[in-house]
Amino acid sequence: MSVRAMVWFQGNGQDANEKGTYVFAHGGGDPEWIIPMLLKAHDLGRTPVKGVAWPDREYDESWKMGRAGYAASLFCSADPKGLQVDTYPLLDEGRLYGDLDYLYVVRPVVGDDRRYTWHVEVRVPTRAFLDEPIPENTRVLARRQPVAKLARYYRRKAERRRSARVA
């Protein structure tokens, strides 16, 4: 059975996408897979890009990480075959799919370097979620923290699990 998850890129209040953008992962939705992909997308978004008109110049487009639609696009580029942008929560008054295993909440935050970064919170459904699948009926599994810190935690956890299987 696949691990289903939804990644919610929240809006930053500065553009029309105030409710955010949702990305659905039908399989591979556990934190050991999703968090590294979020880190990959995060690092891609913070990497300067070469200009088209002036190829010898680089431009910082990390401001796009603060916009929910751009952030979701970056994330989908990390696994284009396994992820899809989803409008169901927007169309059904914030209700999520009732059989989700994880909900990831990604918030854009301006970091110390004055560039956007992401803080991520990992949530899991409660019993009330079965009756009413809304974000409020989930509980925090991993508190909100920078995506790089969360990725280090889940990388170590996966390594410990692998070494326990070998022993």
Side-chain angles (χ1 to χ4, degrees), residues 9 35-47 62 65 71 74-75 77-78 106-109 111 113 115-120 146-149:
F9 292 89
I35 299 298
M37 283 193 295
L38 277 168
L39 180 62
K40 181 179 175 183
H42 172 271
D43 293 347
L44 177 64
R46 290 179 57 96
T47 302
S62 62
M65 293 175 55
L74 280 168
F75 180 59
S77 73
V106 181
R107 293 177 177 93
V109 177
D113 59 356
R115 298 168 64 207
Y116 274 105
T117 186
W118 293 335
H119 283 189
V120 179
V147 67
K149 183 177 180 183

Side-chain angles (χ1 to χ4, degrees), residues 5-7 21-26 72 75-76 79-88 97:
M6 192 153 260
V7 182
T21 301
Y22 294 84
V23 175
F24 179 68
H26 186 273
F75 180 59
C76 286
D79 185 7
K81 292 183 178 182
L83 303 170
Q84 72 177 28
V85 174
D86 202 330
T87 58
Y88 178 75
Y97 297 111

Side-chain angles (χ1 to χ4, degrees), residues 128-144:
F129 189 84
L130 295 173
D131 296 327
E132 191 174 8
I134 57 174
E136 291 80 11
N137 288 337
T138 59
R139 70 173 174 80
V140 174
L141 180 66
R143 64 179 169 75
R144 179 178 146 181

